[in-house]
C-alpha cells in the first residue's frame, strides 16, 4: 500500500449498511430516567426497533411507536388529535417528565409539522415535548443522539452569571454524582472562569469516571447534557464552556455555539489513553491550568495494556464505517501499533473533528505508519472488493456483513458493540482493546483447525 | 395512529425479502432510506447465514425527496445486474416508497432495457398487507412471472413425471424451523416413494420454476406462505394441493391420506397400481413416533386436564391446539392467532377445542388474557415467553416471531413424525418445569434467592461508602459480584478499609494490568 503524506478524504456512493438513527432511543431512554420516547413512524421503524433492541423490549421500556396508518398518510386523520390522544395515554400510564418525539422518514415525507404541533400539545398536556428528527433520510445511526441532544439544548435553563453560585449548588445537589465522590481531589477552590458542561450521553458509571479525571486538574464539571433526569438539565449560556465526548455530536456542538452562545472546546475525544490525555490537556489549556500528573497517568495505562498491545501490534484493520466513532478508535489503534487501511465513516465533520483528525495525523507520523484513507459515505460492495485485495487481519463492520466475512476467513468485530460498550476515559481503554482483540484471540485458538473458509460462494460478494 | 410497543408480523417488505432471498441467485433492491436494510442483519444473525444477503438498498435521501429518484434506481439495478448477474432483480417498495408514490414500475421497465437480468416490481402495498401476506403474494408473483415467461418462449414443460412427485411450497428463510421441517417432509415423502419435484422458495432456482407443473400435486405446509401459489397452479394447470399441515399424529395421518388419494387418482400411470399407506401410517404412529405411546404413558396422565394457552401464527397455533387437546388431553383455555387475515379458517379449526378464541395483533391483550386465565403452561411466540416469565408461567415457543435460540443447529422439525416427538418433548418439558416449580413453592424448597456467599471471605473488615454502594448497584447484575470481589481484593492488598468510588476504579485499572 502506498504511503500517503497527508490524510486523504474520499466520498463514495453511500450504499452502506448502518442502523437507523431512531436506534438512539435504545440508550437514551435508559440514560434519561424520566423520559419517554415516542417514535412517530411506521411498522418498518417498529420492526427495526423491536429486533435491534432485542430483550429490552420486554422490559416495559419507556419508548413506543406512534404507528402511522393509511388514514394518517392520506391526511384523513388529524395529526394533532392523533398525537394528542397517544400522548395523553402515555401521560396516564407512565407520567414522564418529558416526551421526546422522534420524527422519522414518514413524518418528513408527509411533512407532518411535529415542531408546530409539539408546543400546542405541550401546553394542553402540561408535559414538555421535544421534537428530534432522527430519520434515515438525513442521518446514520449515532447521529440520532445528536439530533435529540441538539433539540434538548434549547430546553436547558439559561445560565446567569450573577446567579452562578446559586445555580452551581443546584447542579451539585442533583444526580450528577460528583458532589461527594470527588471531594478528595477538589482541594483548591473553584475559580469562576471554568463553567464546563460536557455533552454526549454516557452510562452514568463512565460519566462519573470522567468527572474526577478533570477534578484532578481542578476543573469541575458543572453539568452534563444529557443529565440523568430531564429535570436536571445544566444551565447554558454565554460564559459556559462546552466540550463533546463523542465524535458524532456536531449538530449539538453547533447548536450550543450558535443558539446558546456557549464556547466550544474543540478537542480530540476521550477514547483511548492518548485521546483522554489530549482531551484533558485541551480543556486545561482553555482554562489556563497546567496539567499535572497526566503523562504518568497515561503511561500507567499503557503499561496496563501491554498484553493486548502484544496481540494487535503489526496487525492490519479495516473500518467499514457505520457509527462515526471510527476516526477516534482508528487513532487509538494506530497508537497501539496497528495498521489501518481504510476508515469508512458515514459523515465527516472536519470542523468538529478537527482536533481528532490532527491527532490522527500526528499519531501516524509518530508511529511511522501510512496514513489511512478516510472514506465518507462508503459503498459496501466496493469496500468488499478492496478488502478482498488488502486481506486485513480484522474488519470492523456491521452485523449484516460480519458472519459472511467470517465465513470467508476475515476476522471481524461488529461495530455496534463499540457504541454500547464503555470505551471512554483512562479506565476503559482496556475495554476497547478487549473488544478489538476478542476475534483475534478467539481465532488464534481456532486457526489451526483449518476451517477458515466456510463459504461455497466466490470470495467477493 | 396507534400506540404500539411490539408487533407480531413485520412490515410488508420483510415478507418480500424473505421470499426473494430464499431463492438462489435472486437479488432484491429496496427503495428505502438508510437503515432500512435491517433485514440483512436479521438474516445474517438469526439464520447465521454464511453468505452475503442478496439485498441492497437504493437509498432514498434528502435529494431523492426533493427531486425524485430519477436515474438512481435504474442505475442501481443496472449496476447490480453487471456485478452479479442475478436471475431476476426484485425491486422492493417500502413504507417510504409507498408514500413517495414514485412510478417504480416505470423504473423497472426502463431498467429492463439494459439489464440482462429480468426485473420485477414486488406488488405489495405497505399499508394493506403484512409480512406474511406479502411473502405469499411475492412468491405467487415470482412463480407467475417465470411461468408466463416460459409460456411465451414456448418452453413450458407440462408433462407430468413418470413417478409420483410433489412440489413443496412455502419454506422460506427466517421461517420458524422451516429448514428442519423441509428435511422431515422430504423424508416422509421418500418413505412413501414420492419424488420431490421442487422446493420453493428456499433453495429454489428461478430457471427451474417452469418445471413446477410437472409434479402431480403440491404441498403447502404453512398456510401463511404458499397458498396463493398453490391456488395459481391449480387454476392454471389443474394441480391439486394439500394445505393440511402435517403437524401432530392425527394431521400427519390425514396428510398422508390425502397424498394417497391424489396419487391413486393417477394410478393408471403407476407400474404397481394403487398405493396404500395405511400400514405405513400405523407403523410410524405406533413405533417411529414416540408421541402416541407418550400420550398413553403415565407421565402424560399428570398433565391431563391441565390448562394451557396457545397463541401464534394461524398454522402453528391451530395445529398445536389440536395436538394438545386431541392427542394429549390437555385443556386449552384459549387459543389465538395474530393472523387476522386468516381468522375465519383459524376459528373453524379450533372451534370446539378451546374455551375461547382470541384473534388480535395486540400483545397486551394476549398478556392480559394469559394473566386472567393463569394457565399451567403457555405455547406461544417469544412475546408470550416473556409474558410467561413475568407471570412465572413456563412457555414453549411454537411460532414466529422468534429469537436466535429458535434457529437451533440440531434437528428440530415440527412437522412429520419426528416433529411429533419434538413437540411432545416441548410440551412435557414446559409442564414438568411448571410442576416442579409449583411443588418447590408448596414445600418451601426454594433457597434464598439472593446468593450471598460467593464473596472471597465473609468477615466484614471492609466498609463500602454509600456512594460506592450506589455505584456498585449501577453495574449490571451479572458482573456485579465479580466487580465487588475484585475491588475487595484490591482494597485488602492496599490496606484500604473504606471503599470509595475512586477505589473501585483504581481497582479496575490495577487488576487489569
Amino acid at each position: 500500500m502506498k504511503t500517503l503524506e497527508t490524510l486523504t478524504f474520499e466520498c463514495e456512493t453511500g450504499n452502506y449498511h448502518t442502523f437507523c438513527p431512531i436506534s438512539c432511543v435504545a440508550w437514551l431512554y435508559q440514560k434519561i430516567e424520566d423520559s419517554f420516547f415516542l417514535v412517530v413512524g411506521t411498522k418498518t421503524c417498529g420492526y427495526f426497533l423491536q429486533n435491534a433492541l432485542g430483550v429490552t423490549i420486554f422490559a416495559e421500556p419507556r419508548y413506543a411507536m406512534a404507528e402511522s396508518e393509511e388514514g394518517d398518510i392520506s391526511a384523513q386523520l388529524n395529526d394533532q388529535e392523533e398525537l394528542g390522544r397517544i400522548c395523553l395515554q402515555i401521560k396516564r400510564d407512565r407520567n414522564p417528565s418529558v416526551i421526546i418525539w422522534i420524527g422519522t422518514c414518514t413524518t418528513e415525507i408527509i411533512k407532518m409539522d411535529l415542531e408546530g404541533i409539539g408546543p400546542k400539545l405541550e401546553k394542553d398536556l402540561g408535559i414538555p415535548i421535544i421534537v428530534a428528527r432522527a430519520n434515515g433520510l438525513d442521518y446514520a445511526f449515532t447521529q440520532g443522539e445528536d439530533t435529540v441532544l441538539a433539540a434538548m439544548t434549547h430546553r436547558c435553563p439559561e445560565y446567569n452569571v450573577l446567579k452562578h453560585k446559586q445555580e452551581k449548588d443546584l447542579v451539585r445537589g442533583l444526580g450528577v454524582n460528583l458532589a461527594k465522590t470527588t471531594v478528595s481531589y477538589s482541594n483548591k477552590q473553584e475559580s469562576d472562569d471554568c463553567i464546563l458542561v460536557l455533552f454526549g450521553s454516557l452510562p452514568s458509571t463512565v460519566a462519573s469516571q470522567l468527572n474526577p479525571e478533570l477534578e484532578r486538574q481542578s476543573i469541575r464539571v458543572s453539568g452534563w447534557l444529557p443529565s440523568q433526569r430531564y429535570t436536571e438539565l445544566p444551565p447554558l449560556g454565554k460564559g459556559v464552556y462546552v466540550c463533546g465526548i463523542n465524535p458524532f455530536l456536531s449538530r449539538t456542538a453547533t447548536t450550543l455555539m450558535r443558539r446558546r452562545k456557549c464556547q466550544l472546546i474543540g478537542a480530540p475525544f476521550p477514547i483511548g489513553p492518548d485521546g483522554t490525555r489530549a482531551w484533558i490537556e485541551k480543556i486545561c489549556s482553555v482554562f489556563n491550568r497546567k496539567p499535572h500528573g497526566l503523562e504518568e497517568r497515561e503511561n500507567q495505562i499503557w503499561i496496563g495494556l501491554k498484553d493486548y498491545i502484544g496481540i494487535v501490534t503489526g496487525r492490519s484493520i479495516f473500518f467499514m464505517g457505520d457509527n462515526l466513532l471510527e476516526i477516534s478508535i482508528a487513532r487509538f489503534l494506530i497508537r497501539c501499533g496497528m495498521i489501518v487501511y481504510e476508515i469508512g465513516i458515514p459523515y465527516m465533520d472536519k470542523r468538529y473533528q478537527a482536533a481528532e483528525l490532527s491527532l490522527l495525523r500526528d499519531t501516524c507520523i509518530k508511529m511511522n505508519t501510512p496514513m489511512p484513507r478516510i472514506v465518507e459515505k462508503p459503498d459496501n460492495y466496493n469496500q468488499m472488493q478492496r478488502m478482498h485485495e488488502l486481506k486485513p487481519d480484522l474488519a470492523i463492520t456491521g452485523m449484516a456483513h460480519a458472519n459472511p466475512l467470517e465465513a470467508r476467513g476475515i476476522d471481524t468485530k461488529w461495530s455496534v458493540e463499540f457504541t454500547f460498550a464503555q470505551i471512554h476515559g483512562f479506565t476503559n481503554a482496556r475495554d476497547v482493546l478487549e473488544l478489538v482483540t476478542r476475534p483475534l484471540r478467539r481465532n488464534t485458538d481456532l486457526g489451526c483447525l483449518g476451517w477458515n473458509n466456510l463459504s461455497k460462494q466466490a470470495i467477493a460478494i | 395512529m396507534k400506540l404500539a410497543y411490539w408487533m407480531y408480523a413485520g412490515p410488508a417488505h420483510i415478507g418480500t425479502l424473505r421470499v426473494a432471498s430464499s431463492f438462489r441467485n435472486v437479488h432484491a433492491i429496496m427503495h428505502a432510506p438508510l437503515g432500512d436494510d435491517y433485514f440483512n442483519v436479521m438474516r445474517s444473525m438469526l439464520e447465521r447465514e454464511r453468505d452475503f444477503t442478496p439485498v441492497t438498498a437504493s437509498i432514498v435521501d434528502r435529494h431523492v425527496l426533493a427531486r425524485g429518484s430519477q436515474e438512481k434506481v435504474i442505475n442501481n439495478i443496472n449496476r447490480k445486474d453487471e456485478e452479479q448477474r442475478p436471475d431476476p432483480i426484485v425491486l422492493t417498495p417500502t413504507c417510504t416508497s409507498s408514500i413517495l408514490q414514485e412510478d417504480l414500475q416505470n423504473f423497472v421497465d426502463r431498467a429492463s432495457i439494459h439489464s440482462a437480468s429480468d426485473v420485477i416490481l414486488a406488488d405489495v402495498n405497505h399499508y394493506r398487507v403484512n409480512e406474511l401476506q406479502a411473502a405469499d403474494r411475492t412468491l405467487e408473483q415470482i412463480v407467475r412471472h417465470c411461468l408466463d415467461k416460459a409460456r411465451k418462449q414456448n418452453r413450458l414443460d407440462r408433462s407430468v413425471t413418470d413417478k409420483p412427485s410433489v412440489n413443496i411450497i412455502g419454506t422460506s428463510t427466517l421461517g420458524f424451523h422451516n429448514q428442519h421441517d423441509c428435511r422431515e417432509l422430504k423424508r416422509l415423502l421418500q418413505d412413501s416413494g414420492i419424488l420431490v419435484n421442487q422446493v420453493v422458495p428456499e433453495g429454489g432456482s428461478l430457471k427451474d420454476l417452469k418445471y413446477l407443473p410437472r409434479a402431480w400435486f403440491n404441498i403447502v405446509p404453512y398456510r401463511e406462505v404458499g397458498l396463493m401459489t398453490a391456488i395459481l397452479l391449480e387454476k392454471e394447470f389443474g394441480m391439486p394441493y394439500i394445505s393440511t399441515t402435517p403437524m401432530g399424529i392425527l394431521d400427519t395421518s390425514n396428510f398422508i391420506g390425502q397424498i394417497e388419494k391424489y396419487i391413486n387418482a393417477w394410478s393408471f400411470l403407476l407400474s404397481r397400481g394403487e398405493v396404500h399407506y395405511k400400514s405405513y401410517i400405523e407403523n410410524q404412529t405406533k413405533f417411529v413416533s414416540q408421541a402416541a405411546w407418550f400420550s398413553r404413558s403415565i407421565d402424560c396422565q399428570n398433565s391431563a386436564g391441565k390448562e394451557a394457552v396457545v397463541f401464534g401464527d394461524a398454522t402453528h397455533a391451530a395445529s398445536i391446539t389440536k395436538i394438545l387437546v386431541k392427542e394429549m388431553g390437555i385443556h386449552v383455555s384459549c387459543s389465538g392467532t395474530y393472523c387476522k387475515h386468516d381468522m375465519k379458517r383459524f376459528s373453524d379449526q379450533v372451534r370446539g377445542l378451546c374455551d375461547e378464541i382470541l384473534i388480535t395483533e395486540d400483545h397486551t391483550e394476549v398478556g392480559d388474557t394469559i394473566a386472567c386465565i393463569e394457565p399451567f403452561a403457555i405455547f406461544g411466540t417469544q412475546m408470550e415467553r416473556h409474558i410467561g416469565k413475568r407471570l412465572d408461567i413456563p412457555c414453549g415457543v411454537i411460532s414466529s416471531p422468534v429469537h436466535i435460540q429458535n434457529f437451533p443447529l440440531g434437528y428440530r422439525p415440527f412437522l412429520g413424525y419426528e416433529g411429533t416427538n419434538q413437540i411432545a418433548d416441548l410440551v412435557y418439558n414446559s409442564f414438568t418445569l411448571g410442576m416442579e416449580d409449583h411443588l418447590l413453592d408448596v414445600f418451601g424448597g426454594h433457597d434464598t434467592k439472593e446468593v450471598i456467599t460467593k464473596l472471597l471471605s465473609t468477615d466484614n473488615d471492609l466498609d463500602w461508602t454509600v456512594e460506592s454502594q450506589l455505584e456498585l448497584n449501577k453495574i449490571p447484575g451479572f458482573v456485579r459480584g465479580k466487580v465487588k470481589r475484585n475491588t475487595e481484593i484490591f482494597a485488602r492488598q492496599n490496606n484500604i478499609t473504606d471503599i470509595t468510588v475512586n477505589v473501585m476504579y483504581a481497582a479496575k485499572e490495577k487488576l487489569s494490568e
Side-chain angles (χ1 to χ4, degrees), chain B residues 166-398:
Chain B
V166 297
N167 299 317
I168 301 173
I169 299 177
T171 56
S172 73
T173 189
L174 291 173
F176 184 74
H177 293 241
N178 274 12
Q179 291 188 355
H180 309 288
D181 283 351
C182 185
R183 207 167 116 195
E184 184 63 20
L185 273 180
K186 282 180 178 167
R187 195 165 84 172
L188 196 153
L189 292 165
Q190 194 184 21
D191 284 354
S192 323
I194 301 167
L195 297 176
V196 175
N197 184 47
Q198 273 183 52
V199 181
V200 290
E202 185 64 55
S205 163
L206 261 69
K207 294 201 172 81
D208 297 335
L209 289 188
K210 59 174 178 284
Y211 302 121
L212 276 178
R214 297 202 68 198
W216 290 24
F217 58 97
N218 294 315
I219 293 172
V220 183
Y222 315 106
R223 291 191 56 79
E224 287 75 23
V225 182
L227 213 50
M228 279 180 80
T229 310
I231 292 168
L232 169 82
L233 291 168
E234 186 185 43
K235 231 197 255 162
E236 299 233 340
F237 304 99
M239 295 174 76
Y241 64 89
I242 302 174
S243 64
T244 301
T245 306
M247 199 185 302
I249 295 172
L250 295 175
D251 274 352
T252 306
S253 330
N254 181 348
F255 174 81
I256 299 173
Q258 291 183 54
I259 291 181
E260 187 181 274
K261 193 181 85 192
Y262 288 132
I263 291 179
N264 288 340
W266 292 68
S267 60
F268 56 89
L269 278 177
L270 298 170
S271 50
R272 271 177 284 175
E274 293 200 348
V275 293
H276 296 284
Y277 292 130
K278 201 163 168 258
S279 63
Y280 171 72
I281 294 174
E282 197 178 316
N283 186 51
Q284 292 283 319
T285 305
K286 285 187 176 168
F287 304 109
V288 174
S289 163
Q290 303 292 318
W293 160 234
F294 168 75
S295 48
R296 187 79 210 188
S297 72
I298 43 176
D299 269 341
C300 206
Q301 261 177 30
N302 285 337
S303 48
K306 291 259 153 50
E307 288 195 318
V309 169
V310 181
F311 195 84
D313 64 24
T315 300
H316 288 87
S319 295
I320 295 290
T321 305
K322 283 192 253 180
I323 293 170
L324 291 174
V325 175
K326 292 186 186 166
E327 297 177 19
M328 293 180 172
I330 288 161
H331 181 92
V332 174
S333 309
C334 173
S335 174
T337 182
Y338 55 85
C339 295
K340 275 185 159 171
H341 59 278
D342 203 21
M343 61 189 285
K344 192 183 166 298
R345 201 260 181 187
F346 179 80
S347 307
D348 292 345
Q349 291 280 304
V350 300
R351 188 167 297 128
L353 299 180
C354 55
D355 305 341
E356 187 187 342
I357 297 172
L358 179 67
I359 294 175
T360 179
E361 287 174 323
D362 181 358
H363 71 89
T364 51
E365 201 180 333
V366 180
D368 291 347
T369 310
I370 293 172
C372 286
I373 293 174
E374 287 188 77
F376 270 86
I378 312 167
F379 298 94
T381 71
Q382 278 292 338
M383 190 72 218
E384 282 68 47
R385 195 172 74 88
H386 285 269
I387 294 170
K389 262 189 188 168
R390 201 177 294 166
L391 299 172
D392 259 334
I393 301 171
C395 176
V397 175
I398 53 128

Side-chain angles (χ1 to χ4, degrees), chain A residues 50 58 65 67 70 72 82 85 108 138 177 209 297 379 403-404 408 427-428 430 454-455, chain B residues 1-2 4 7 37 44 50-51 57 62 79 95-96 128 390 467 471 474 502 505 508-509 512:
Chain A
Q50 149 175 347
F58 300 106
M65 294 289 309
E67 195 184 306
E70 203 162 12
D72 299 300
E82 294 291 302
R85 183 174 53 78
E108 289 296 312
D138 301 305
N177 210 12
Q209 285 161 12
R297 180 129 173 80
D379 184 297
N403 268 337
R408 283 157 186 74
T427 319
N428 296 309
R430 206 177 160 81
L454 290 158
S455 167
Chain B
M1 242 178 255
K2 72 175 183 208
M7 67 186 86
D37 58 352
S44 168
R50 298 157 192 242
D51 292 324
R62 216 18 96 168
R79 177 183 162 189
C95 58
T96 309
R128 304 265 166 91
R390 201 177 294 166
E467 289 79 23
E471 197 62 25
K474 283 186 207 153
N502 288 314
Y505 297 134
K508 183 178 178 191
E509 282 161 27
S512 56

Side-chain angles (χ1 to χ4, degrees), chain A residues 17 399-400, chain B residues 37-45 53 55-56:
Chain A
H17 164 78
M399 288 195 274
Chain B
D37 58 352
Y38 192 72
F39 176 78
N40 297 30
V41 175
M42 291 180 63
R43 191 151 179 272
S44 168
M45 297 309 285
T53 301
V55 174
T56 44

Side-chain angles (χ1 to χ4, degrees), chain A residues 209-210 213 216-217 270-278 280 293-302 305 423-431, chain B residues 508-509 512:
Chain A
Q209 285 161 12
L210 286 181
E213 295 292 357
R216 280 170 214 212
Q217 311 298 337
I271 292 169
D274 50 342
T276 310
R277 180 183 165 189
I280 297 171
L294 259 189
E295 194 177 344
E296 300 84 69
R297 180 129 173 80
E298 191 198 348
N299 290 339
Q300 199 93 50
I301 299 292
W302 284 117
L305 298 177
I423 60 170
H424 293 79
F426 287 124
T427 319
N428 296 309
R430 206 177 160 81
D431 294 38
Chain B
K508 183 178 178 191
E509 282 161 27
S512 56

